[in-house]
């Protein structure tokens, strides 16, 4: 009888395992920082300045991790970014802010999610980072920023198609090419800290 | 009854039992108003590739293989379809924000180009979904061009 039960359990858990085949990845990527931001993620952020500041903070961590070729830290920052977007509650946003946030939200969450889930694939993280950079730039243009940011352009990434990113410094530290081409890029625009 | 027989009987009971737990099938029949074909022009040769190589997991209409009605294979397939549709659903593409449509077109091109899609585990059993170099180029060019065109009309 015991063996019967064991087989039944084995058969069921076999299928159960497969049901969740791609989840462990995501859990490991997010579990590390749940403790860190546990307090934060429980509350929603309605203040628009705070909402964008949280996103910029997570984004810059992500950008710096990619510039250092550190895909693991990038994954952690990716899930921070995901939370920052998810926790932003547009209730008190202005009409323009609501509009751009509604446009960006799903897209940004998805990119952040993929960056978090691909801790072993930095090339793929960078692909999503490129579009995420555009999402955040469009939001900062409407929301303003709590710290001065620089829209920077690297003409070499993606077979010379080029790509942009936001940086907190004028010094170039390329998040697309990492150490191998660290100083490639130039500042295109300064996004001044809101007064 | 010997030990082996008991085990055999147990396996049989479990296998028979699970046949009654069937996931709902992913077959919608008619095209939704949000279907990609209603908003984006797709040449027929591209459409054919999308249908044979992508739609099983990325639309509301799966063309099920015979073993899908046998469990646990059906459960496994059902999960793949659920995950696939969450990432990209051609039947709902038109309801995505323009920004998300652009992201998806970019991902379609890069995933096909990098041989990440269609999944190797899928093409192993679906020979028709194995894309030739020319077919891959058709898909990536179409996705890239559609993206470029959409970007131009974007406000």
């Amino acid at each position: 009888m015991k063996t019967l039960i064991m087989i039944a359990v084995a058969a069921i858990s076999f299928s159960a395992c497969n049901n969740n085949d791609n989840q462990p990845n995501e859990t490991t990527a997010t579990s590390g920082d749940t403790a860190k931001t546990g307090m934060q993620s429980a509350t929603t952020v309605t203040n628009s300045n705070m909402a964008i500041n949280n996103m910029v903070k997570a984004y810059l961590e992500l950008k710096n991790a990619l510039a250092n070729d550190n895909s693991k830290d990038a994954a952690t920052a990716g899930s921070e970014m995901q939370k920052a977007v998810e926790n932003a509650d547009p209730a008190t946003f202005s009409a323009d802010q609501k509009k751009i946030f509604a446009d960006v939200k799903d897209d940004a969450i998805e990119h952040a999610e993929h960056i978090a889930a691909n801790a072993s694939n930095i090339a793929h993280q960078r692909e999503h980072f490129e579009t995420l950079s555009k999402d955040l730039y469009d939001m900062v243009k409407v929301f303003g920023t709590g710290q001065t940011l620089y829209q920077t352009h690297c003409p070499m990434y993606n077979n010379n198609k080029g790509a942009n990113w936001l940086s907190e410094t004028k010094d170039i530290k390329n998040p697309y090419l990492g150490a191998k081409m660290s100083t490639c890029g130039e500042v295109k625009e300064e996004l001044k800290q809101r007064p | 009854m010997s030990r082996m027989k008991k085990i055999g009987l147990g396996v049989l009971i479990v296998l028979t039992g699970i046949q009654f737990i069937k996931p709902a099938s992913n077959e919608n029949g008619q095209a939704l108003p949000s279907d990609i074909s209603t908003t984006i022009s797709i040449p027929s040769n591209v459409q054919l590739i999308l249908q044979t190589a992508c739609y099983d997991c990325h639309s509301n209409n799966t063309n099920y293989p015979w073993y899908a009605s046998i469990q646990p294979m059906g459960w496994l397939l059902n999960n793949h379809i659920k995950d696939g549709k969450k990432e990209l659903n051609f039947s709902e593409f038109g309801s995505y924000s323009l920004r998300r449509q652009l992201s998806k077109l970019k991902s379609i091109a890069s995933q096909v180009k990098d041989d990440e899609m269609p999944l190797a585990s899928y093409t192993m059993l679906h020979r028709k979904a194995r894309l030739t170099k020319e077919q891959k180029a058709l898909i990536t060019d179409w996705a890239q061009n559609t993206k470029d065109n959409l970007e131009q009309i974007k406000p």
Side-chain angles (χ1 to χ4, degrees):
Chain A
M1 198 55 209
K2 255 189 193 162
T3 32
L4 268 185
I5 294 167
M6 270 168 62
I7 293 158
V9 170
I12 290 164
S13 55
F14 165 71
S15 50
C17 284
N18 284 304
N19 282 347
N20 299 322
D21 56 356
N22 57 7
Q23 276 174 10
N25 231 338
E26 289 178 25
T27 354
T28 41
T30 48
S31 63
D33 53 85
T34 327
K36 245 192 332 193
T37 53
M39 298 281 284
Q40 226 181 48
S41 60
T43 51
T44 52
V45 180
T46 53
N47 180 305
S48 69
N49 287 355
M50 212 147 68
I52 195 75
N53 289 356
N54 287 348
M55 290 181 228
V56 167
K57 183 173 170 276
Y59 172 88
L60 293 175
E61 274 168 31
L62 169 61
K63 185 262 298 174
N64 289 327
L66 290 175
N68 291 328
D69 298 306
N70 189 332
S71 59
K72 238 183 120 224
D73 284 357
T76 311
S79 61
E80 293 285 336
M81 182 78 195
Q82 187 187 340
K83 272 183 234 147
V85 182
E86 280 172 349
N87 289 348
D89 177 2
T92 62
F93 291 4
S94 73
D96 282 349
Q97 289 171 340
K98 274 185 186 149
K99 197 173 151 215
I100 186 73
F101 185 71
D103 179 28
V104 164
K105 189 181 179 189
D106 287 353
D107 193 65
I109 288 176
E110 212 168 1
H111 293 306
E113 211 176 2
H114 274 255
I115 290 165
N118 279 278
S120 54
N121 187 349
I122 200 162
H124 192 63
Q125 287 179 324
R126 283 171 170 148
E127 279 177 15
H128 284 285
F129 175 75
E130 186 193 356
T131 336
L132 185 62
S133 296
K134 169 96 175 70
D135 287 349
L136 191 67
Y137 172 82
D138 290 349
M139 281 210 283
V140 167
K141 287 296 255 186
V142 177
F143 278 76
T145 165
Q147 65 186 109
T148 298
L149 295 170
Y150 301 92
Q151 170 81 334
T152 317
H153 178 75
C154 156
M156 284 176 69
Y157 178 66
N158 196 10
N159 294 321
N160 298 325
K161 272 192 172 171
N164 299 322
W165 76 92
L166 286 169
S167 175
E168 71 280 31
T169 63
K170 278 186 192 166
D171 299 331
I172 307 292
K173 229 184 146 201
N174 193 310
Y176 293 104
L177 305 171
K180 124 186 129 181
M181 197 52 87
S182 188
T183 54
C184 172
E186 59 172 320
V187 172
K188 290 278 178 194
E189 185 184 352
E190 183 178 345
L191 300 157
K192 281 211 169 66
Q193 181 182 354
R194 81 171 77 78
Chain B
M1 222 166 24
S2 79
R3 200 180 156 83
M4 281 309 284
K5 270 188 184 164
K6 269 186 195 166
I7 294 172
L9 187 67
V11 170
L12 202 68
I13 291 170
V14 171
L15 283 179
T16 314
I18 62 173
Q19 299 313 314
F20 295 98
I21 312 166
K22 281 203 173 119
S25 88
N26 183 45
E27 288 164 303
N28 194 287
Q30 76 269 40
L32 295 170
S34 57
D35 192 84
I36 186 168
S37 59
T38 59
T39 48
I40 285 173
S41 87
I42 310 173
S44 57
N45 53 355
V46 172
Q47 178 74 40
L48 192 68
I49 301 170
L50 292 181
Q51 257 158 8
T52 40
C54 316
Y55 276 24
D56 276 351
C57 294
H58 292 294
S59 82
N60 287 348
N61 285 296
T62 302
N63 184 9
Y64 283 99
W66 61 270
Y67 50 78
S69 43
I70 300 168
Q71 312 310 337
M73 288 309 285
W75 298 344
L76 264 169
L77 290 182
N78 193 46
N79 265 296
H80 275 278
I81 294 165
K82 215 174 80 199
D83 290 345
K85 280 167 68 174
K86 183 179 167 262
E87 289 297 330
L88 167 68
N89 187 343
F90 284 106
S91 304
E92 288 169 6
F93 195 88
S95 66
Y96 295 168
S97 68
L98 185 52
R99 188 178 290 267
R100 192 148 176 250
Q101 294 190 10
L102 292 171
S103 286
K104 291 300 163 193
L105 287 165
K106 179 186 171 191
S107 295
I108 291 168
S110 71
Q111 291 278 300
V112 170
K113 189 168 146 266
D114 298 345
D115 282 324
E116 297 286 341
M117 284 285 159
L119 285 178
S121 58
Y122 175 74
T123 51
M124 204 169 71
L125 293 163
H126 294 78
R127 306 190 131 262
K128 279 188 193 156
R130 288 179 201 176
L131 303 181
T132 63
K133 225 172 142 187
E134 291 75 24
Q135 286 176 314
K136 273 184 212 164
L138 265 174
I139 297 287
T140 49
D141 289 350
W142 163 77
Q144 194 59 55
N145 291 337
T146 310
K147 179 175 176 264
D148 293 345
N149 290 339
L150 276 180
E151 258 167 356
Q152 276 173 10
I153 56 162
K154 196 172 187 238

